[in-house]
Amino acid sequence: YVYERLDTMNTVLVDRFGSWFAYFLSNFKYHWTWSEWEECVKLNKTDPNHPKPKFLKEVFLKLLWLTFYEKLKDVIPDEFVTLLPVKPGYNHKFAEITPENSLQAKCAKALIESIKNKEVLDMMLGSLDPLPDGAIDGRELDPVYPEAKLEVVVQTILRVGCKSISHISVALNRFRDLIMAVMLIRMLKYAA
């Protein structure tokens, strides 16, 4: 009944309904009578700004906060795949080695290997030793500009946890000692 009235509803209510519906789907194994909503796919082809396909696009976008893209693509019927958002990805700053970031990229790669090998904190910190203590562009230590080591650590942790929000949360939690150690070293050097 609510779905049929989407085009006349207040946008705030539509958004709240979308949030509730995404939560509902994730808690009930994505079971739904999708055949009743097949008109969305047809409407999306003729009028992508129609409220019904827009609603489902928003629901699928909200579901990405609750599940993986691949799982969502597997559980919805094939005809609804066109309504899925673009597959999310992560642009790791040091994924490619360029003349500007060669040292950082090499250290990031070494840190990823340390993480994969489940090495101790000292070994992880050792993979950052080639980096200077200050900003990479040669400036003096600046409390505003992130230190090169800290930048590599944060980018690498985000890369390791880029599958989902829960993976990022776990990665940040698991490697908080590494972040704290880099920050402590930075603060001690800045204070000296």
Side-chain angles (χ1 to χ4, degrees):
Y1 176 73
V2 177
Y3 171 77
E4 294 300 325
R5 300 186 65 197
L6 283 176
D7 48 348
T8 60
M9 287 174 60
N10 184 319
T11 54
V12 175
L13 294 175
V14 172
D15 185 57
R16 289 180 183 170
F17 175 54
S19 295
W20 172 85
F21 187 61
Y23 184 73
F24 169 84
L25 286 173
S26 72
N27 282 311
F28 290 97
K29 299 180 183 178
Y30 308 95
H31 291 295
W32 189 251
T33 54
W34 294 105
S35 58
E36 294 177 9
W37 289 14
E38 284 180 350
E39 69 174 318
C40 273
V41 178
K42 295 172 188 164
L43 281 171
N44 188 47
K45 290 177 184 173
T46 58
D47 183 14
N49 290 323
H50 191 278
K52 290 180 181 179
K54 228 175 176 165
F55 169 74
L56 262 185
K57 288 177 186 176
E58 286 295 317
V59 167
F60 291 151
L61 190 62
K62 290 174 184 194
L63 278 169
L64 287 179
W65 286 86
L66 303 170
T67 190
F68 298 103
Y69 183 86
E70 291 80 19
K71 180 173 182 175
L72 184 57
K73 191 174 178 180
D74 289 343
V75 296
I76 64 169
D78 291 338
E79 54 269 8
F80 288 90
V81 171
T82 59
L83 297 174
L84 283 176
V86 177
K87 183 177 180 177
Y90 175 72
N91 184 13
H92 186 235
K93 187 174 183 176
F94 306 120
E96 294 181 21
I97 297 177
T98 63
E100 296 83 31
N101 76 357
S102 63
L103 187 58
Q104 294 148 305
K106 288 175 185 172
C107 289
K109 187 175 181 179
L111 184 58
I112 287 173
E113 286 302 313
S114 293
I115 289 171
K116 284 181 181 177
N117 296 334
K118 299 181 181 182
E119 293 178 355
V120 293
L121 180 63
D122 291 337
M123 297 294 285
M124 289 184 206
L125 287 171
S127 65
L128 300 172
D129 284 344
L131 289 172
D133 292 325
I136 198 71
D137 61 3
R139 294 185 293 171
E140 292 295 317
L141 280 175
D142 181 354
V144 177
Y145 184 82
E147 179 184 355
K149 289 181 182 181
L150 181 60
E151 187 176 26
V152 168
V153 167
V154 170
Q155 284 287 321
T156 302
I157 290 172
L158 291 175
R159 169 66 185 96
V160 167
C162 71
K163 272 192 165 184
S164 71
I165 296 294
S166 58
H167 279 81
I168 288 175
S169 177
V170 168
L172 287 171
N173 223 0
R174 183 174 295 150
F175 301 111
R176 71 174 177 259
D177 292 340
L178 178 62
I179 296 171
M180 295 299 288
V182 170
M183 288 298 295
L184 183 61
I185 291 167
R186 180 176 193 263
M187 286 176 16
L188 291 174
K189 289 188 181 186
Y190 185 70

